[in-house]
Amino acid sequence: MPSTLPDGEPVPADGALPPEALAGVGQRGFGVYVHVPFCASRCGYCDFNTYTAAELGPDGGSSVDAYLEAVEAELRLAGRVLGGAAPPASVFFGGGTPTLLHPDQLARLLDGVAETFGLAADAEITTEANPESVDPASLRALRAAGFNRISLGMQSTAPHVLAVLDRRHTPGRAAAAAREARAAGFEHVNLDLIYGTPGETAADFDASLAAAVAAGADHVSAYSLIVEDGTRLAARIRRGELPMPSDDVAADRYLAAEAALVAAGFAWYEVSNWALKTPAASPDARCRHNLIYWRGEDWWGFGPGAHSHVGGVRWWNVKHPAAYAGRLAEQRTPAHARELLGPAERGLEEVMLRLRLAEGLPLATLGAAGRTAAAHALAEGLLEPGPYAEGRAVLTLRGRLLADGVVLRLVADHEIADQEQAAACS
Ligand SMILES: C[S@@+](CC[C@H](N)C(=O)[O-])C[C@H]1O[C@@H](n2cnc3c(N)ncnc32)[C@H](O)[C@@H]1O
Ligand code: SF4
């Protein structure tokens, strides 16, 4: 089950933001996330904030209708708080399984977003979907409602891997759904893959990559299987029923993903994300929504457990759908708590997120110790020499394999800067 929420500062009942955070709203990039917290069944590896019908029980406060009304109430609250926000450049429905809702229900929420903020004519409008939860008719209905990008959880095409992951779809269903999405007119199609699952062979993962490419996806996200505490997968590993995923295998799989995807015309733009770069592809297949997160711009996350960030204020909603709907029914913000990020914290986040992007981290963002660490990383072949000479830290392929470690070395500088600041103030 989802873990408890972190504490932070209390949020005013009307959700109001400090004027410093509101300054610049409309000038920075802005995205909308809508969290749909329902799944038909829970995959054994997943600790996302999502609930099956059995987990929700008969409580009326967590019905789909109550959820829809609550999101609409949060939209009205956001409209009051943000006032003149520019129309979002992207809207992303994630989950959970958004496509457990009827296309008309997703259309109703998308209309609510458009009524609240307007929508840029070229906005990227994505829904996540489980392969078995869409069909040609529902995909056509979603396209007609304005969705132009779909992100399907393929995970693998190997039956024994899908079984270990507790996936409900057949091996070929994700590729078929991707083709159906293209036929329905979706401009962009992403397929999520997971590698390093116990029992997966190199050939299994190669076959999954080939199937993703052949299905006509213009974007692939490939994630190393993370064993999250409290999941069924973690319990099975603890009991010795399954081996712990190996870091060496994960590195080999990452190299396989890079080789197969580059050969098919894709290029990485974030450590775990590749977008098609051929002239036949739409102008830019990178996910604009995720780039808003990674560049530290503004987004409002609607729905139970959703996180938001506006101008250095980050807040997170209560997790349970009934608690979420209850707060909004009482005309109160659904935010559980928030934190106001100071310059040091924002700098730290910038290093952590931007270093994972192919566009790289401006070296000027780093303090003296961070720049020294970057020079060492360059000498060790972890950063690309060309961009470095132009003032940007961009990971090499080896650097991407060791991305978390490189980030830690570069951010050590921020910790030193914080300590120096604390010492100076004491
Ligand atoms: C929140 S899920 C939503 C997608 C959709 N519900 C589905 O499962 O098809 C988004 C993606 O996160 C990835 N994911 C979730 N838990 C993970 C884990 N423990 N390790 C690696 N990837 C994970 C999966 O690739 C999944 O497709
Ligand atoms: S369907 Fe997706 S969100 Fe739901 S439990 Fe499985 S991985 Fe998690």
Side-chain angles (χ1 to χ4, degrees):
M1 284 299 294
S3 52
T4 52
L5 282 166
D7 289 330
E9 298 185 12
V11 181
D14 62 0
L17 286 166
E20 321 75 271
L22 289 173
V25 162
Q27 286 144 41
R28 295 182 291 263
F30 176 52
V32 163
Y33 174 77
V34 182
H35 189 71
V36 183
F38 308 118
C39 283
S41 64
R42 179 175 287 276
C43 308
Y45 57 89
C46 178
D47 78 341
F48 281 71
N49 186 41
T50 185
Y51 304 82
T52 62
E55 286 168 349
L56 285 174
D59 180 354
S62 49
S63 69
V64 169
D65 280 341
Y67 162 79
L68 295 172
E69 279 166 28
V71 173
E72 286 169 335
E74 192 183 0
L75 280 165
R76 291 191 290 276
L77 181 142
R80 290 192 295 274
V81 171
L82 289 186
S90 78
V91 183
F92 192 107
F93 285 70
T97 306
T99 43
L100 270 192
L101 300 186
H102 190 277
D104 290 349
Q105 294 171 320
L106 290 174
R108 170 176 156 186
L109 293 181
L110 182 56
D111 287 349
V113 172
E115 278 160 27
T116 307
F117 300 114
L119 258 188
D122 63 344
E124 176 190 271
I125 304 174
T126 305
T127 184
E128 286 184 340
N130 285 34
E132 72 282 9
S133 67
V134 288
D135 60 25
S138 70
L139 289 163
R140 282 194 298 274
L142 289 168
R143 184 69 195 94
F147 288 87
N148 51 29
R149 185 173 184 277
I150 191 159
S151 175
L152 290 152
M154 178 184 227
Q155 321 310 357
S156 173
T157 51
H160 57 280
V161 173
L162 293 174
V164 170
L165 295 175
D166 294 326
R167 299 293 292 181
R168 294 186 132 202
H169 48 93
T170 53
R173 180 59 208 143
R179 291 194 182 92
E180 289 164 7
R182 286 293 198 196
F186 277 83
E187 251 175 85
H188 298 293
V189 177
N190 169 60
L191 290 170
D192 284 340
L193 294 175
I194 289 183
Y195 55 83
T197 302
E200 176 201 67
T201 64
D204 290 333
F205 187 52
D206 288 346
S208 300
L209 287 161
V213 168
D218 65 354
H219 188 288
V220 172
S221 302
Y223 303 113
S224 174
L225 178 65
I226 307 290
V227 181
E228 303 284 2
D229 285 348
T231 57
R232 232 176 11 250
L233 176 70
R236 293 183 69 190
I237 290 173
R238 209 175 38 248
R239 289 197 299 266
E241 289 169 26
L242 293 170
M244 187 72 181
S246 136
D247 288 347
D248 289 345
V249 168
D252 287 347
R253 299 285 187 272
Y254 187 87
L255 294 175
E258 170 73 5
L261 293 170
V262 167
F266 288 70
W268 77 288
Y269 70 102
E270 194 271 347
V271 169
S272 302
N273 290 275
W274 288 260
L276 195 58
K277 281 288 201 194
T278 65
S282 297
D284 191 349
R286 295 180 303 168
C287 176
R288 284 161 62 184
H289 189 79
N290 282 339
L291 283 167
I292 286 175
Y293 297 154
W294 296 327
R295 289 174 178 156
E297 294 176 320
D298 291 346
W299 71 91
W300 191 301
F302 295 86
H307 287 229
S308 303
H309 172 263
V310 173
V313 180
R314 192 163 48 196
W315 70 95
W316 45 96
N317 285 350
V318 293
K319 282 186 130 178
H320 197 280
Y324 170 78
R327 292 272 199 118
L328 285 153
E330 291 167 11
Q331 315 280 331
R332 287 162 62 207
T333 171
H336 170 76
R338 73 182 183 190
E339 59 190 359
L340 281 63
L341 305 175
E345 289 146 324
R346 291 181 83 168
L348 187 69
E349 287 217 348
E350 192 175 357
V351 177
M352 287 176 11
L353 295 171
R354 283 195 180 249
L355 192 63
R356 294 177 61 88
L357 293 176
E359 65 191 27
L361 170 79
L363 289 168
T365 319
L366 297 168
R371 283 201 297 274
T372 305
H376 288 145
L378 174 73
E380 292 166 36
L382 300 168
L383 297 180
E384 296 282 2
Y388 187 89
E390 290 163 10
R392 276 180 306 125
V394 175
L395 294 169
T396 57
L397 180 53
R398 196 165 152 259
R400 279 190 267 156
L401 289 172
L402 302 170
D404 292 345
V406 182
V407 165
L408 279 179
R409 286 164 58 173
L410 267 59
V411 299
D413 178 39
H414 282 270
E415 283 159 21
I416 292 165
D418 284 351
Q419 285 162 14
E420 281 168 358
Q421 203 178 7
C425 295
S426 61

